[in-house]
Amino acid sequence: MAEPKELRASPLRRLQALPDGHGPAWAVFAPPPSLSPTAGAALDLLRCLRAAPEGWTRVLWLSDWSALSLNCVSGGKTTADDLKAICAAQDLLVGCLRALDPQLMAGVVVRRQSEAILSDPSNYWISVINAGRAHSLGAIRAADENSEQVGFVIATLMAVADALALGAAAGTGRVLCCSSPRDARSLQLAVAYLEGCAAYKAAGLSPPEVRVVEGVSLALKADAAAADADAELLLLDGQPDVQRKMKKAFCEPGNTAFCPPLAVARELVLGCGASLEVKRREEDGGDRAFGKADGGQLASEFAAGALHPGDLKPAVRDAAWGTLSRVRAAVAADKALAAAEKEVAKAAKKNKKK
């Protein structure tokens, strides 16, 4: 990555997303919103949040205006329609995260980018401009393979400003965390900018650290086409969807290198605090129960042939639906989330017509 140009000494201009005197913070950057949020994407975010050290404040950053510049969600004819759909998708995702791990999410500070920006728009946009002055266009474009489009350039510069807003601290730790390689490159660009910023150093601030928490694939098929609706479980799948998808999921006896039911069991079932009940005939070893800490044992027994796909897949199907039904119930019980789900469904319907 190209080194940023040295900035002239000047007062540091930045948005402060966290107040002065705030202790160590672990800021997780949510990926661009989707009208069809997958269970895997939600679990990746939970993994990022769980990685925070004890005693650190967990912050979940929702980049709604960056998503608007990326044109990743279309909600209608106007920019206001698009932004409404983006915010609804983000609200729905946060509600699902709270249903999946309520104890963890109770301690998470959720910040929406636009709300933070509007609290101090002048300093935020000046920090975006300064970031643009500090790097060549080539360095900015290197952060994203799609950066020939102007929206991606703007989103990358906004990521630098977001990092400055969240990661500026004196005498305390700050970590910027994500699971997306694209987001990681943008955050690394931000750190490079801060390391070369004289005003940043003069203010006694230390650049944040970027951490990438590797995501887990919950792909149900080895080579599924992008348009395959059964390629992955969605957060709001109904019971028939889960049954159909898990029935088609690849599951080869003894193969743990790629075994979607094992991954679903480990991450979506056991990882979310549920148990896995495998029903078997007595001559096949009888019923078997696996708890939260038994993911390794589950894989070992499957690899050894003690668990057959015919027994594992139905058990994972029912347990996965148990987890997702909890998510659906939480959405239905909350008026704001139910309204967000309707807005997302409306936007998805409009997108299908295009």
Side-chain angles (χ1 to χ4, degrees):
M1 185 176 292
E3 292 295 322
K5 295 176 282 187
E6 187 173 343
L7 296 182
R8 293 174 294 176
S10 61
L12 181 65
R13 302 295 296 271
R14 66 185 178 96
L15 167 71
Q16 286 185 266
L18 298 173
D20 284 333
H22 196 286
W26 185 277
V28 175
F29 284 71
S34 169
L35 296 177
S36 300
T38 65
L43 294 173
D44 284 348
L45 275 177
L46 290 177
R47 285 168 66 87
C48 288
L49 290 165
R50 289 167 182 157
E54 188 69 29
W56 285 46
T57 298
R58 295 174 172 91
V59 180
L60 179 59
W61 185 257
L62 306 175
S63 303
D64 55 332
W65 281 4
S66 291
L68 190 63
S69 74
L70 293 172
N71 197 30
C72 60
V73 169
S74 177
K77 296 180 179 180
T78 68
T79 298
D81 291 334
D82 291 348
L83 191 57
K84 186 178 181 181
I86 287 168
C87 290
Q90 291 176 332
D91 289 342
L92 192 58
L93 175 62
V94 172
C96 292
L97 294 176
R98 288 173 174 152
L100 288 169
D101 196 335
Q103 185 175 358
L104 173 74
M105 291 301 296
V108 174
V109 177
V110 179
R111 295 299 310 271
R112 178 164 272 133
Q113 183 190 48
S114 60
E115 294 172 357
I117 292 172
L118 291 173
S119 70
D120 189 4
S122 177
N123 277 322
Y124 182 85
W125 293 114
I126 287 174
S127 68
V128 171
I129 292 168
N130 284 340
R133 289 173 174 170
H135 290 89
S136 67
L137 183 59
I140 295 168
R141 284 179 168 172
D144 195 295
E145 59 271 17
N146 297 310
S147 59
E148 291 298 320
Q149 301 175 35
V150 67
F152 285 85
V153 173
I154 294 171
T156 298
L157 293 176
M158 290 177 71
V160 175
D162 294 345
L164 183 56
L166 289 162
T172 188
R174 291 290 165 87
V175 168
L176 309 176
C177 181
C178 64
S179 61
S180 160
R182 188 264 171 199
D183 288 341
R185 289 192 294 270
S186 295
L187 295 178
Q188 291 288 4
L189 187 73
V191 171
Y193 162 65
L194 297 177
E195 288 174 342
C197 181
Y200 193 81
K201 296 175 182 177
L205 304 175
S206 301
E209 180 183 351
V210 175
R211 295 276 187 90
V212 180
V213 175
E214 185 177 356
V216 175
S217 173
L218 291 187
L220 299 178
K221 302 176 182 179
D223 298 307
D228 189 344
D230 293 336
E232 190 168 353
L233 293 173
L234 303 183
L235 277 172
L236 296 175
D237 270 345
Q239 189 172 17
D241 301 312
V242 176
Q243 290 178 336
R244 182 185 69 255
K245 292 179 181 183
M246 291 307 303
K247 183 177 180 180
K248 296 179 180 179
F250 180 84
C251 191
E252 184 179 50
N255 180 358
T256 58
F258 180 70
C259 184
L262 277 181
V264 171
R266 183 178 60 249
E267 302 297 333
L268 184 60
V269 179
L270 305 182
C272 291
S275 60
L276 180 69
E277 306 288 337
V278 180
K279 303 294 184 182
R280 297 184 299 190
R281 298 177 303 177
E282 287 298 327
E283 54 266 38
D284 293 330
D287 295 349
R288 183 79 167 86
F290 297 88
K292 185 174 183 178
D294 297 332
Q297 183 62 32
L298 174 66
S300 296
E301 293 189 20
F302 184 77
L307 278 179
H308 188 272
D311 298 318
L312 178 65
K313 289 179 70 173
V316 175
R317 175 200 64 203
D318 294 343
W321 167 240
T323 298
L324 294 180
S325 66
R326 191 170 78 234
V327 173
R328 287 177 64 89
V331 171
D334 187 296
K335 289 184 179 180
L337 289 179
E341 182 184 19
K342 289 182 180 178
E343 183 64 34
V344 167
K346 182 174 72 173
K349 187 176 181 179
K350 289 179 179 178
N351 277 262
K352 283 184 179 179
K353 291 180 179 179
K354 293 183 178 181

